[in-house]
Amino acid sequence: MSLFIDAIKSQKHFISHGRTVFEEFFKKPRPVNLKADYLEHTMSWLRRAQDINEDGGVSLGYSFLLGWLRSFPETTGYIIPTFLNYYHLTKNEEYLKRATRMAEWLVSFQSADGSIKAVWGNANSKPIIFDTGQVLQGLASIYQETHQDKYLKSAIKAADWLVDKQDGDGAWRQYEFNDITHAYNTRVDWPLLMMYRLTSSEAYLKAASRNIEWVLGNQKANGWFRNNSFVTKRDPFLHTIAYVIEGLIESSAITQNKVWLEAAMKPSEVLQTIFENKNWLAGEYDRDWNGKAKYSCVTGNAQMAICWFRLYQLTNNKKFLTAALKMNNYLRGLQDITAENPGIKGAMKGSYPIWGRYLPFTYPNWAAKFFADALILERQVK
């Protein structure tokens, strides 16, 4: 987040890309090109995002204000499984090598206690629960692929740190972004459960279960979650709402816990109905599921496509499949696959329109990552 704030303070690149920004103000979703490989365009952009800084990590993204940004540990962590999934889909070993390079970079600066700092290379940056959890997912995934002990050792250190910092009621209050608790830490529970499956350590199962129970205590009857914003007294982004849902889905898939799956289905069904009726999801939602933004959170849209695909796989309910396919086509229309600028071609913007409150004038790597995941799932279900 501090990287984004730095970008907002600067005017570099904004003037030089003024024409592109101007075009974005009037750009509407494009017709889907039935002959285009949108997944390959997305993965090509992610390759460029990894190569731009030459450290093995993936650039936070491309900004109209600053150009390419520094590598970002948190999202590099969960981009690893995306590259591994694409490797299995295509049999192209380049993606296995790239995922390994990401893991090597993450291990190289992991703190002795196992934690991961929010901003690499910044001595004043503190470790963050969520960031460490996302790196843990990457380390667990690369170990499953390579069976190299060094990755398992690093993953165990990260998982042990997460368990150690958890409060008795299951919430994390230390080392939290903006020093507040977050329901979206279900996406930390998921990698902890991956570690339980790898190591059979009951400590990881108990920690994940405690946090999920705390999260369910923050869920309203209509499926909406309290304590799920980046800051207090703000409605959550669709991005963080989808984080909670995805964490619950994948945690339930590992443990076969039907209660957790039902908790994920409640908000998923609400959002599916909204999308079916309006052909659009707002960037933020209040406690009564009123859309509170005039922009759409592109990242959250891609995440909801993933959630709907996974719910279809787990429940065989075709309404989720229909919504996921429809959302993927909507997102295809937002992706520019003909741009001359390599920072934009194949990228996914943070908000649509691009000046929306979620990462304005920026193409974050996680928007592309989640869109790639959604497109991979689309191929799996067809």
Side-chain angles (χ1 to χ4, degrees), residues 86-288:
Y86 194 68
Y87 158 64
H88 286 289
L89 179 70
T90 63
K91 311 303 180 186
N92 185 340
E93 291 195 0
E94 176 187 357
Y95 290 92
L96 173 58
K97 293 176 181 178
R98 285 180 173 276
T100 304
R101 282 182 58 212
M102 293 178 205
E104 288 294 318
W105 178 66
L106 294 169
V107 168
S108 72
F109 62 81
Q110 183 181 27
S111 300
D113 62 6
S115 64
I116 296 292
K117 291 184 176 181
V119 181
W120 172 67
N122 185 338
N124 296 321
S125 178
K126 70 175 184 178
I128 296 292
I129 294 295
F130 188 81
D131 299 48
T132 302
Q134 308 324 295
V135 170
L136 174 59
Q137 185 186 48
L139 294 174
S141 298
I142 200 69
Y143 171 72
Q144 287 176 307
E145 186 68 41
T146 66
H147 301 291
Q148 293 190 35
D149 287 342
K150 62 181 177 180
Y151 299 131
L152 181 60
K153 290 178 181 178
S154 289
I156 289 173
K157 285 170 57 179
D160 287 347
W161 182 82
L162 290 167
V163 172
D164 182 65
K165 302 308 176 187
Q166 187 180 43
D167 288 347
D169 64 354
W172 279 283
R173 294 180 177 85
Q174 302 178 72
Y175 303 103
E176 280 281 75
F177 180 58
N178 284 336
D179 298 315
I180 58 174
T181 55
H182 299 292
Y184 61 73
N185 279 332
T186 56
R187 218 181 184 283
V188 176
D189 302 322
W190 171 16
L192 278 173
L193 290 169
M194 291 173 65
M195 291 300 293
Y196 166 66
R197 193 165 52 185
L198 284 173
T199 67
S200 299
S201 172
E202 291 287 330
Y204 303 148
L205 173 62
K206 290 178 180 178
S209 299
R210 280 196 302 265
N211 182 248
I212 290 175
E213 291 306 313
W214 177 84
V215 170
L216 296 190
N218 281 274
Q219 187 176 34
K220 291 185 62 184
N222 66 1
W224 190 86
F225 293 92
R226 297 183 295 273
N227 293 305
N228 198 32
S229 302
F230 288 137
V231 295
T232 56
K233 299 181 180 179
R234 289 295 308 237
D235 295 314
F237 290 119
L238 180 64
H239 171 50
T240 55
I241 294 171
Y243 264 154
V244 184
I245 297 171
E246 188 179 20
L248 288 171
I249 290 172
E250 299 306 334
S251 294
S252 69
I254 293 172
T255 62
Q256 300 300 303
N257 189 311
K258 294 182 179 180
V259 173
W260 298 352
L261 183 61
E262 290 172 1
M265 287 182 64
K266 285 183 181 180
S268 298
E269 288 178 325
V270 171
L271 291 167
Q272 179 267 331
T273 300
I274 293 172
F275 185 54
E276 179 182 350
N277 291 336
K278 296 187 176 182
N279 298 313
W280 189 80
L281 291 178
E284 305 164 36
Y285 283 96
D286 70 12
R287 60 189 295 114
D288 296 314

Side-chain angles (χ1 to χ4, degrees), residues 307-321:
C307 292
W308 289 328
F309 275 126
R310 290 292 288 131
L311 287 172
Y312 168 68
Q313 290 177 323
L314 294 169
T315 69
N316 203 35
N317 189 324
K318 290 189 176 180
K319 71 180 180 182
F320 294 124
L321 176 61

